[in-house]
Amino acid sequence: GLRAGIPDLFLAVPRYPLSGLFLEMKVKPNKLSIEQEKIVEYLINANYGVRLCYSADEAICAIKDYLT
């Protein structure tokens, strides 16, 4: 895999003002680790969208929202 803390999915499609969208998939009640929180903060500061999703439906909605 990837480096620890990197979100699970990346949509490499820029949509102004963002450079792309990262999705982190979790199962409730899990939350972001400290390493993941640091990386999310970095990605947001680097002009990427980041969404935490607890289901495929949430991820689909996040992607649709991002693309429209």
Side-chain angles (χ1 to χ4, degrees), residues 6-49:
I6 299 296
D8 298 307
L9 303 168
F10 176 54
L11 184 62
V13 178
R15 288 288 187 261
Y16 183 82
L18 299 174
S19 300
L21 177 66
F22 284 90
L23 300 172
E24 176 60 30
M25 304 300 296
K26 290 285 186 194
V27 175
K28 285 187 179 180
N30 295 340
K31 58 183 183 174
L32 296 176
S33 68
I34 293 171
E35 183 67 23
Q36 287 173 319
E37 288 176 356
K38 290 177 185 177
I39 290 178
V40 165
E41 182 180 353
Y42 171 83
L43 292 170
I44 290 170
N45 288 332
N47 208 38
Y48 289 96

Side-chain angles (χ1 to χ4, degrees), residues 24-28 52-61:
E24 176 60 30
M25 304 300 296
K26 290 285 186 194
V27 175
K28 285 187 179 180
L52 175 59
C53 301
Y54 287 98
S55 69
D57 288 337
E58 277 188 48
I60 290 166
C61 286

